[in-house]
Coordinates of all heavy atoms in Angstrom, one line a residue:
Chain B
Q56 N -55.6 13.9 -2.6 CA -55.1 14.4 -3.9 C -53.7 15.0 -3.7 O -52.9 15.0 -4.7 CB -56.0 15.4 -4.5 CG -57.4 14.9 -4.9 CD -57.3 13.9 -6.0 OE1 -56.6 14.1 -7.0 NE2 -57.9 12.7 -5.8
Q57 N -53.5 15.6 -2.5 CA -52.2 16.2 -2.3 C -51.3 15.4 -1.4 O -51.8 14.7 -0.5 CB -52.5 17.6 -1.7 CG -53.2 18.6 -2.6 CD -53.2 20.0 -2.0 OE1 -53.4 20.2 -0.9 NE2 -53.0 21.0 -2.9
N58 N -50.0 15.6 -1.6 CA -49.0 15.0 -0.7 C -49.1 15.5 0.7 O -49.3 16.7 0.9 CB -47.6 15.1 -1.2 CG -47.4 14.3 -2.5 OD1 -48.1 13.4 -2.8 ND2 -46.3 14.7 -3.2
A59 N -49.0 14.6 1.7 CA -49.1 15.1 3.1 C -47.8 15.7 3.5 O -46.7 15.4 3.0 CB -49.4 13.9 4.0
T60 N -47.9 16.7 4.4 CA -46.7 17.4 5.0 C -47.0 17.6 6.5 O -48.1 17.9 6.9 CB -46.4 18.7 4.3 OG1 -47.5 19.6 4.5 CG2 -46.1 18.6 2.9
E61 N -45.9 17.4 7.3 CA -46.0 17.6 8.7 C -44.7 18.2 9.1 O -43.7 17.5 9.3 CB -46.3 16.3 9.5 CG -47.7 15.8 9.4 CD -48.7 16.5 10.2 OE1 -48.3 17.4 11.0 OE2 -49.9 16.2 10.0
G62 N -44.6 19.5 9.2 CA -43.3 20.1 9.6 C -42.2 19.7 8.6 O -42.3 20.0 7.4
R63 N -41.1 19.1 9.1 CA -40.0 18.8 8.2 C -40.2 17.5 7.4 O -39.4 17.0 6.7 CB -38.7 18.6 9.1 CG -38.2 19.9 9.7 CD -36.9 19.7 10.4 NE -36.9 18.8 11.5 CZ -36.4 17.6 11.5 NH1 -35.6 17.2 10.4 NH2 -36.4 16.8 12.5
Y64 N -41.4 16.8 7.7 CA -41.7 15.6 7.0 C -42.7 15.8 5.9 O -43.6 16.5 6.1 CB -42.3 14.6 8.0 CG -41.4 14.3 9.2 CD1 -41.8 14.8 10.5 CD2 -40.3 13.5 9.1 CE1 -41.0 14.5 11.6 CE2 -39.5 13.3 10.2 CZ -39.9 13.8 11.5 OH -39.1 13.5 12.6
S65 N -42.4 15.2 4.8 CA -43.4 15.2 3.7 C -43.4 13.8 3.1 O -42.5 13.0 3.2 CB -43.1 16.2 2.6 OG -41.8 16.0 2.1
L66 N -44.6 13.5 2.5 CA -44.8 12.1 1.9 C -44.9 12.3 0.4 O -45.9 13.0 0.0 CB -46.0 11.5 2.6 CG -46.1 9.9 2.5 CD1 -46.9 9.4 3.6 CD2 -46.7 9.5 1.2
N67 N -44.1 11.7 -0.3 CA -44.1 11.8 -1.8 C -45.0 10.6 -2.2 O -44.5 9.5 -2.4 CB -42.7 11.7 -2.4 CG -42.7 11.9 -3.9 OD1 -43.8 12.0 -4.5 ND2 -41.6 11.9 -4.5
F68 N -46.3 10.8 -2.5 CA -47.2 9.8 -2.8 C -47.4 9.7 -4.3 O -47.9 10.6 -4.9 CB -48.6 10.1 -2.1 CG -49.7 9.1 -2.3 CD1 -49.4 7.8 -2.2 CD2 -51.0 9.6 -2.6 CE1 -50.5 6.9 -2.3 CE2 -52.0 8.6 -2.8 CZ -51.7 7.3 -2.6
Q69 N -47.0 8.6 -4.8 CA -47.2 8.3 -6.3 C -48.1 7.1 -6.4 O -47.6 5.9 -6.4 CB -45.9 8.1 -7.0 CG -45.0 9.4 -6.9 CD -43.8 9.3 -7.7 OE1 -43.8 8.8 -8.9 NE2 -42.7 9.9 -7.3
K70 N -49.4 7.3 -6.5 CA -50.3 6.2 -6.5 C -50.2 5.2 -7.6 O -50.3 4.0 -7.3 CB -51.8 6.8 -6.5 CG -52.9 5.9 -6.1 CD -54.1 6.7 -5.9 CE -55.3 5.8 -5.4 NZ -56.5 6.6 -5.2
A71 N -49.9 5.7 -8.8 CA -49.8 4.7 -9.9 C -48.6 3.8 -9.7 O -48.6 2.7 -10.1 CB -49.7 5.5 -11.2
R72 N -47.6 4.3 -9.1 CA -46.4 3.5 -8.9 C -46.4 2.8 -7.5 O -45.5 2.0 -7.2 CB -45.1 4.4 -8.8 CG -44.8 5.1 -10.2 CD -43.5 5.8 -10.1 NE -43.1 6.4 -11.3 CZ -42.0 7.1 -11.5 NH1 -41.1 7.2 -10.5 NH2 -41.7 7.6 -12.7
K73 N -47.5 3.1 -6.8 CA -47.6 2.5 -5.4 C -46.4 2.7 -4.6 O -45.8 1.8 -4.0 CB -48.0 1.0 -5.5 CG -49.3 0.7 -6.2 CD -49.7 -0.8 -6.1 CE -51.1 -0.9 -6.6 NZ -51.6 -2.4 -6.6
S74 N -46.0 4.0 -4.5 CA -44.9 4.3 -3.7 C -45.3 5.5 -2.7 O -46.2 6.3 -3.1 CB -43.7 4.7 -4.5 OG -43.9 6.0 -5.0
A75 N -44.7 5.5 -1.6 CA -45.1 6.5 -0.5 C -43.8 6.8 0.2 O -43.6 6.4 1.4 CB -46.1 5.9 0.4
N76 N -42.9 7.5 -0.4 CA -41.6 7.8 0.1 C -41.7 9.0 1.1 O -42.4 9.9 0.9 CB -40.6 8.2 -1.0 CG -40.4 7.1 -2.0 OD1 -40.7 5.9 -1.7 ND2 -40.0 7.4 -3.2
L77 N -40.9 8.8 2.2 CA -40.8 9.8 3.2 C -39.6 10.7 2.9 O -38.5 10.2 2.7 CB -40.7 9.2 4.6 CG -40.5 10.2 5.8 CD1 -41.8 10.9 6.1 CD2 -40.0 9.4 7.0
V78 N -39.9 12.0 3.0 CA -38.8 13.0 2.8 C -38.6 13.8 4.1 O -39.6 14.3 4.6 CB -39.1 14.0 1.6 CG1 -37.9 15.0 1.5 CG2 -39.3 13.2 0.3
I79 N -37.4 13.7 4.6 CA -37.1 14.5 5.8 C -36.2 15.7 5.3 O -35.1 15.4 4.8 CB -36.4 13.7 6.9 CG1 -37.2 12.4 7.2 CG2 -36.1 14.5 8.1 CD1 -36.5 11.5 8.2
S80 N -36.6 16.9 5.6 CA -35.8 18.0 5.2 C -34.9 18.5 6.4 O -35.3 18.2 7.5 CB -36.7 19.1 4.7 OG -37.5 19.6 5.8
A81 N -33.8 19.1 6.1 CA -33.0 19.6 7.1 C -32.8 18.7 8.3 O -33.2 18.9 9.4 CB -33.6 20.9 7.6
S82 N -32.1 17.5 8.0 CA -32.0 16.5 9.0 C -31.3 17.0 10.2 O -30.4 17.8 10.2 CB -31.1 15.3 8.4 OG -31.8 14.8 7.3
Q83 N -31.7 16.4 11.3 CA -31.1 16.8 12.6 C -30.6 15.5 13.3 O -31.0 14.4 12.9 CB -32.2 17.4 13.6 CG -32.8 18.6 13.0 CD -34.0 19.1 13.8 OE1 -34.4 18.4 14.8 NE2 -34.6 20.2 13.5
L84 N -29.6 15.6 14.2 CA -29.0 14.5 14.9 C -30.1 13.6 15.5 O -30.0 12.4 15.5 CB -28.0 14.9 15.9 CG -26.8 15.6 15.3 CD1 -25.8 16.0 16.4 CD2 -26.0 14.7 14.3
G85 N -31.1 14.3 16.0 CA -32.2 13.5 16.7 C -33.1 12.7 15.7 O -34.0 12.0 16.2
D86 N -32.9 12.9 14.4 CA -33.6 12.1 13.4 C -33.0 10.7 13.3 O -33.7 9.8 12.6 CB -33.6 12.8 12.1 CG -34.4 14.1 12.1 OD1 -35.3 14.2 12.9 OD2 -34.0 14.9 11.2
S87 N -31.9 10.4 13.9 CA -31.3 9.1 13.8 C -32.2 8.1 14.5 O -32.5 8.2 15.7 CB -29.9 9.1 14.5 OG -29.0 9.9 13.8
A88 N -32.7 7.1 13.8 CA -33.7 6.2 14.3 C -34.0 5.2 13.2 O -33.5 5.3 12.1 CB -35.0 6.9 14.7
M89 N -34.9 4.2 13.6 CA -35.5 3.3 12.6 C -36.8 4.0 12.1 O -37.5 4.5 12.9 CB -35.8 1.9 13.2 CG -34.7 1.0 13.3 SD -34.1 0.4 11.7 CE -35.4 -0.8 11.3
Y90 N -37.0 3.8 10.8 CA -38.2 4.4 10.2 C -39.0 3.3 9.5 O -38.5 2.5 8.7 CB -37.9 5.5 9.2 CG -37.4 6.7 9.9 CD1 -36.1 6.8 10.3 CD2 -38.3 7.8 10.1 CE1 -35.6 8.0 10.9 CE2 -37.8 9.0 10.8 CZ -36.5 9.0 11.2 OH -36.0 10.1 11.8
F91 N -40.3 3.2 9.9 CA -41.2 2.2 9.3 C -42.3 2.8 8.5 O -43.0 3.7 8.9 CB -41.8 1.3 10.5 CG -40.8 0.5 11.2 CD1 -40.3 0.9 12.4 CD2 -40.5 -0.8 10.7 CE1 -39.4 0.1 13.1 CE2 -39.6 -1.6 11.4 CZ -39.0 -1.1 12.6
C92 N -42.5 2.2 7.3 CA -43.6 2.5 6.5 C -44.7 1.5 6.8 O -44.4 0.3 7.1 CB -43.2 2.5 5.0 SG -44.5 2.8 3.9
A93 N -45.9 1.9 6.9 CA -47.0 0.9 7.2 C -48.3 1.3 6.4 O -48.5 2.4 6.0 CB -47.3 1.0 8.7
M94 N -49.1 0.3 6.3 CA -50.3 0.4 5.5 C -51.5 -0.2 6.2 O -51.3 -1.3 6.9 CB -50.2 -0.2 4.1 CG -51.5 -0.2 3.3 SD -51.2 -0.8 1.6 CE -50.9 -2.5 1.9
R95 N -52.6 0.4 6.1 CA -53.8 -0.1 6.7 C -54.9 -0.2 5.6 O -55.1 0.9 5.0 CB -54.3 0.7 7.9 CG -55.3 0.0 8.8 CD -55.7 0.9 10.0 NE -56.5 0.1 10.9 CZ -57.1 0.7 11.9 NH1 -57.1 2.0 12.1 NH2 -57.8 -0.1 12.7
E96 N -55.4 -1.3 5.3 CA -56.4 -1.5 4.2 C -57.8 -1.5 4.7 O -58.0 -1.7 5.9 CB -56.1 -2.8 3.5 CG -54.7 -2.9 2.8 CD -54.4 -4.3 2.3 OE1 -54.1 -5.2 3.2 OE2 -54.5 -4.6 1.1
G97 N -58.7 -1.2 3.8 CA -60.1 -1.2 4.1 C -60.7 -2.6 3.9 O -60.1 -3.6 4.4
G98 N -61.8 -2.7 3.3 CA -62.4 -4.0 3.0 C -63.0 -4.5 4.3 O -63.4 -3.8 5.2
T99 N -63.1 -5.9 4.3 CA -63.8 -6.5 5.4 C -62.8 -7.2 6.3 O -63.2 -8.0 7.2 CB -64.8 -7.5 4.9 OG1 -64.1 -8.5 4.0 CG2 -65.9 -6.8 4.1

Side-chain angles (χ1 to χ4, degrees):
Chain B
Q56 297 294 314
Q57 293 190 319
N58 288 343
T60 59
E61 289 283 351
R63 294 187 298 112
Y64 304 109
S65 59
L66 200 154
N67 185 359
F68 181 46
Q69 298 190 37
K70 195 170 182 176
R72 294 186 178 183
K73 294 189 175 178
S74 75
N76 298 339
L77 176 70
V78 180
I79 305 175
S80 63
S82 297
Q83 301 172 356
L84 296 177
D86 294 333
S87 294
M89 281 289 288
Y90 288 81
F91 291 96
C92 180
M94 177 174 65
R95 198 176 187 192
E96 296 169 286
T99 57

